[in-house]
Amino acid sequence: MILGATIHMWFTFAVIATAIVAYVMERTPLEVISAAIVTVLLIFFYAFPLEGPGGEALLGPQTLLSGFASPALITIMALLVIGQGLYQTGALEGPTRQFASLGASRPRITFVLILLTAAVVSAFMNNTPVVVIFIPVITALASRLSFNPSKVLIPLSFLTILGGMTTLIGSSTNLLVAGSAVRAGLEPIGFFDFAIPGLVFACVGALYVIFVAPRLLAPRETMAAAIAGGSGKQFIAQIEVAPDHPLNGEAAVAGLFPSLKDMTVRLVQRGEHAYLPPFEDVTLRAGDVVIVAATRNALTEALKARNSILASDRVAAQAERANDTETAAQEDGAGEIVLVEAVVAPGSRLVGRVIEQAGFRSQTGCIVLGIQRRSRMIRSRMDDIRIEAGDVLLIMGPRERLRPLRLNRDILLLEWSLTELPDLGLANRALAVFAMTIAAAATGFVPIVIAALGGAIAMVATGCLNIRQASRSFDRQIYMLIGASIAMAMALEATGGAQYLAQHVVGAFRDAGPPVILSALFLLIAVLTNFLSNNATALLFTPIAINTANTLGVDPNIFVYAVIFAANCSFATPMGYQTNLLVMGPGHYQFSDFARAGAPLCLLIWLAFSLFAPWYYGLM
């Protein structure tokens, strides 16, 4: 029996080591590696079953596959759906614009302040909902300030973990360790009992996360950002100033119009008179036509605004959508306003004609928002631009109106460029669902998995998302990674691998004195917490730490605090903690990003603990 357990244990060690190497090398898709790991474990423990005291199989298929239905996985996926609902409705456009206006001149300082705020809040609130709150704000703000979100989201996760290790309620791990210590006969741990060393380690880690970690992270541009106009290509667009238009009465300042700072104004047409830049002493008024050159990203941002300068175009698109209510009711995803690019084909009937003459809107139900021509700069009204073969049209309209365009021989629809515009009319509804979800989870009214699942269902039930949009928010890499990591953790725990490592590490340093043993135990826990769940690691090592302290004649609370700090060092892998998994999708991260930025942080916290804790607790 002992020999069999040893074989199972060493095989589990080999599988975990192989998985880490494969994840870091990134030569094979992450989901393929995860599926292979689970398959290998299933085959091995079926061929060589690990039996419990009563002869039952400890690691059968039901146990190894249970990770794919775990509450942690359901929570992550449900929170991703809620985040998609906030994005789809543009619910955070208002706060994001305010942050952007405050931080436009100093975006780095703005992001640092936001991250530090998240760290402080996470000391008094479970860090998972804190990250859920800040992810959409940071991603939207990064897009608006042309700041790469991959430089900020992993630091967000790390700082909330660091903030969570300073108080008793900052992390569920802290509460689990405290409860386990009470069951072992120790006095209850107070709210701020480990706050001073926790603050020291959090400050040391924060300096690294703010000033060093972003330099180690490769810029990861999401596909959405690439489509949104990151290339800098510009379209010619036309803005008609009506009496109630936001631009009516706006005067040029230093030759530029403040509301059009992200666009290049090439012409202001007023009746028969045309004003060319620079615009000195020009005040826009009703009836003016403003011709601008702008990237797709700038035009999209203008359409998202509640008081949009392109309001007339959006209203027209929404009117077309309203005409298709029957279709929208029958087809999932119909009725959404989308943007797409299309190339004018050679021999197209549009060539040589202006947009209005071609009757594009009446024939297709879509609006040409802009025209892009590579050969030369256009400085005339869109009504006067004659289309040429090779021109790129930026088209806006309801999704169902774009379907017939796939068969249109006059234009070639660029499917990859299709993006949806948020439905601003549902923003308040999405915010209400989000607020209720966070309140339910943060107050402990219901477990976070129930709050998250209820919020995800509410996003669909209230119309903030349709089924297709909700399903699109699922990330198969995260799904497979969580399932595989839980399978490996169960195998490591059931085969006695974690217990084996703990006993041998403590035994190897038994004669070295309490400071060395404390440091070695911390390092072991910090490594294992990145592969086991941090909660499982904490529960496993709390009794070991207490027994070790009693053997050495040392206050056992010191070793219990070591377990708390070490179990929170889940920085080196995405499956180390829920917040890492939450930022993985929005940041478009790879496994190696967490290893590159997180492993040095784990070592830094370990060194800080090894130097500070023995002195602070009088073990020197």
Side-chain angles (χ1 to χ4, degrees):
M1 185 67 185
I2 296 176
L3 181 62
T6 303
I7 291 173
H8 292 105
M9 181 184 67
W10 286 112
F11 181 81
T12 301
F13 284 154
V15 169
I16 293 175
T18 303
I20 295 171
V21 173
Y23 282 141
V24 173
M25 291 180 66
E26 297 179 358
R27 293 183 178 177
T28 307
L30 186 146
E31 54 267 41
V32 175
I33 298 171
S34 301
I37 291 167
V38 175
T39 303
V40 168
L41 290 174
L42 286 169
I43 293 172
F44 179 81
F45 286 105
Y46 177 79
F48 306 97
L50 179 65
E51 297 180 350
E56 72 280 4
L58 295 179
L59 289 171
Q62 186 173 358
T63 302
L64 289 172
L65 294 175
S66 63
F68 292 102
S70 71
L73 178 59
I74 294 173
T75 300
I76 296 296
M77 293 301 174
L79 290 173
L80 290 176
V81 172
I82 293 173
Q84 180 72 9
L86 293 174
Y87 168 78
Q88 199 66 40
T89 59
L92 296 173
E93 279 297 308
T96 301
R97 288 178 184 275
Q98 291 178 358
F99 275 120
S101 62
L102 294 174
S105 58
R106 296 184 176 180
R108 293 184 182 276
I109 295 177
T110 301
F111 281 112
V112 168
L113 291 176
I114 292 174
L115 293 177
L116 291 177
T117 300
V120 172
V121 172
S122 65
F124 304 96
M125 177 179 170
N126 186 280
N127 43 23
T128 300
V130 174
V131 171
V132 174
I133 291 172
F134 279 91
I135 282 177
V137 174
I138 286 179
T139 51
L141 187 61
S143 174
R144 191 170 297 280
L145 296 179
S146 301
F147 198 91
N148 199 307
S150 65
K151 297 288 188 179
V152 190
L153 289 177
I154 276 183
L156 170 67
S157 176
F158 288 178
L159 282 171
T160 56
I161 294 173
L162 290 169
M165 68 167 60
T166 59
T167 65
L168 183 63
I169 66 168
S171 168
S172 58
T173 304
N174 306 353
L175 293 170
L176 284 173
V177 174
S180 181
V182 170
R183 288 192 296 272
L186 300 183
E187 291 293 323
I189 296 176
F191 192 92
F192 291 110
D193 280 1
F194 50 89
I196 293 178
L199 283 171
V200 171
F201 308 143
C203 289
V204 171
L207 291 174
Y208 165 86
V209 170
I210 291 172
F211 295 107
V212 180
R215 300 177 184 273
L216 301 178
L217 293 170
R220 304 277 186 187
E221 185 178 31
T222 64
M223 185 175 293
I227 291 173
S231 64
K233 296 184 297 182
Q234 292 193 323
F235 290 86
I236 296 298
Q238 179 172 300
I239 303 171
E240 297 179 5
V241 182
D244 58 346
H245 196 278
L247 291 179
N248 188 15
E250 179 160 324
V253 178
L256 302 173
F257 297 100
S259 296
L260 301 174
K261 61 181 179 180
D262 296 326
M263 304 179 183
T264 302
V265 180
R266 294 193 169 169
L267 173 71
V268 175
Q269 184 76 39
R270 180 174 295 166
E272 299 297 324
H273 184 72
Y275 294 91
L276 298 176
F279 302 98
E280 299 293 343
D281 301 323
V282 175
T283 300
L284 298 176
R285 63 191 188 196
D288 288 352
V289 176
V290 183
I291 308 301
V292 299
T295 63
R296 174 175 175 159
N297 186 49
L299 293 173
T300 303
E301 291 298 326
L303 286 166
K304 286 181 180 179
R306 293 183 182 274
N307 195 20
S308 174
I309 58 173
L310 298 174
S312 58
D313 293 305
R314 174 139 197 172
V315 168
Q318 289 173 333
E320 294 292 345
R321 179 177 65 176
N323 293 332
D324 300 319
T325 51
E326 183 178 349
T327 305
Q330 294 174 352
E331 299 184 40
D332 180 41
E336 302 160 7
I337 301 296
V338 297
L339 283 177
V340 68
E341 295 178 21
V343 179
V344 178
S348 169
R349 290 172 296 178
L350 298 176
V351 174
R353 306 167 74 184
V354 299
I355 297 295
E356 188 173 351
Q357 286 178 340
F360 189 86
R361 179 179 170 186
S362 60
Q363 292 181 19
T364 66
C366 299
I367 299 168
V368 176
L369 191 66
I371 301 176
Q372 181 187 110
R373 183 171 296 167
R374 298 178 184 275
S375 59
R376 62 185 182 275
M377 181 177 71
I378 303 174
R379 197 189 298 275
S380 60
R381 293 167 49 127
M382 282 184 61
D383 298 339
D384 300 329
I385 299 175
R386 296 192 177 275
I387 299 172
E388 298 179 2
D391 285 351
V392 179
L393 308 180
L394 182 60
I395 300 172
M396 176 174 65
R399 178 182 289 273
E400 60 273 16
R401 290 286 193 171
L402 293 180
R403 292 191 176 107
L405 293 182
R406 295 188 178 98
L407 305 177
N408 193 314
R409 296 186 179 182
D410 294 322
I411 57 175
L412 305 175
L413 209 64
L414 304 179
E415 295 280 357
W416 58 266
S417 69
L418 191 147
T419 53
E420 300 168 7
L421 291 176
D423 190 343
L424 301 178
L426 299 172
N428 291 334
R429 204 177 298 178
L431 282 174
V433 171
F434 178 64
M436 287 189 290
T437 302
I438 294 300
T443 59
F445 179 72
V446 293
I448 189 171
V449 60
I450 297 177
L453 191 58
I457 294 172
M459 281 290 183
V460 177
T462 57
C464 298
L465 291 175
N466 57 46
I467 296 298
R468 183 187 57 79
Q469 292 166 337
S471 62
R472 192 177 59 196
S473 64
F474 282 81
D475 191 314
R476 66 177 183 274
Q477 287 192 339
I478 294 177
Y479 180 81
M480 294 301 299
L481 181 63
I482 293 177
S485 65
I486 292 177
M488 288 188 289
M490 287 182 167
L492 187 63
E493 196 170 346
T495 58
Q499 189 82 10
Y500 174 88
L501 289 174
Q503 291 174 349
H504 281 72
V505 167
V506 173
F509 295 98
R510 187 169 296 277
D511 298 329
V516 176
I517 296 176
L518 190 65
S519 176
L521 185 67
F522 185 102
L523 182 60
L524 176 62
I525 297 171
V527 171
L528 290 181
T529 195
N530 284 284
F531 302 100
L532 294 169
S533 74
N534 52 358
N535 289 343
T537 305
L539 290 174
L540 177 67
F541 277 92
T542 300
I544 295 174
I546 293 173
N547 291 333
T548 302
N550 290 333
T551 302
L552 297 172
V554 175
D555 180 4
N557 280 320
I558 299 174
F559 277 71
V560 170
Y561 299 152
V563 174
I564 289 177
F565 297 135
N568 278 297
C569 287
S570 46
F571 307 112
T573 65
M575 62 272 199
Y577 195 59
Q578 285 188 117
T579 57
N580 291 351
L581 290 166
L582 281 172
V583 302
M584 187 175 181
H588 209 60
Y589 293 118
Q590 302 293 331
F591 188 97
S592 59
D593 292 316
F594 290 91
R596 188 184 304 114
L601 180 56
C602 290
L603 292 175
L604 182 63
I605 300 298
W606 168 63
L607 287 173
F609 179 87
S610 300
L611 295 174
F612 180 80
W615 169 81
Y616 181 77
Y617 291 114
L619 296 181
M620 299 300 292

